[in-house]
Amino acid sequence: MPKTKAQELNAAVQLYLDLMYDCDVEKFDRVFWPSAQLHGFRGGEMTCWPVAEYKQILAERTSPKALDAPREEEILMLDFASPTTAMAKLQVRINDMVFIDYLTYHWIDGKWLITAKGYHLQMTS
């Protein structure tokens, strides 16, 4: 039985969460559209990273998996604007930081891909 768009979106969100946990950039191009951008405040300054720069950041990051950290993540909301546009709101811990991520997804070539990411650094511990 074919998956519904909602099931496909849930699988895409899980792949994103897997990438955030293990930082395995082999998954990266199955998660992000090549022209995606990431925006958020870091140190009080707005940052804008093109997706290629973010891929390099993940490649160099010590992953939570490598630190044997427990997975701390929650899907807070999924919303469909249309059959080809959706948004996910997530909370995810990356090492000592907890983020709220807003991920814009588009259905491209038969799969959900992130075309934009807005994030909020909620706390560090």
Side-chain angles (χ1 to χ4, degrees):
M1 172 179 259
K3 289 184 180 179
T4 66
K5 289 277 180 87
Q7 290 169 324
E8 293 279 357
L9 180 59
N10 273 307
V13 169
Q14 189 57 56
L15 186 60
Y16 169 81
L17 291 170
D18 292 345
L19 175 64
M20 295 301 100
Y21 185 71
D22 63 25
C23 298
D24 178 1
V25 292
E26 294 294 320
K27 297 176 182 137
F28 196 87
D29 295 335
R30 293 184 294 145
V31 174
F32 287 94
W33 181 247
S35 65
Q37 291 190 346
L38 297 84
H39 295 87
F41 284 94
R42 298 296 288 263
E45 298 291 323
M46 173 55 75
T47 63
C48 176
W49 293 330
V51 75
E53 186 175 344
Y54 188 56
K55 185 176 186 178
Q56 188 63 37
I57 288 166
L58 285 182
E60 295 171 0
R61 174 185 287 163
T62 302
S63 72
K65 182 178 181 180
L67 296 172
D68 202 27
R71 287 183 79 145
E72 295 180 39
E73 57 202 27
E74 182 178 359
I75 299 172
L76 302 172
M77 181 189 72
L78 296 177
D79 183 50
F80 289 86
S82 74
T84 59
T85 307
M87 189 190 79
K89 179 182 178 184
L90 313 172
Q91 180 173 311
V92 60
R93 175 177 286 279
I94 308 295
N95 298 328
D96 66 343
M97 301 172 287
V98 177
F99 291 92
I100 301 294
D101 292 338
Y102 287 88
L103 308 175
T104 301
Y105 282 90
H106 285 90
W107 184 257
I108 304 167
D109 297 330
K111 59 186 171 252
W112 289 107
L113 293 170
I114 297 169
T115 56
K117 174 180 172 176
Y119 65 88
H120 166 69
L121 178 55
Q122 187 172 4
M123 60 184 250
T124 57
S125 58

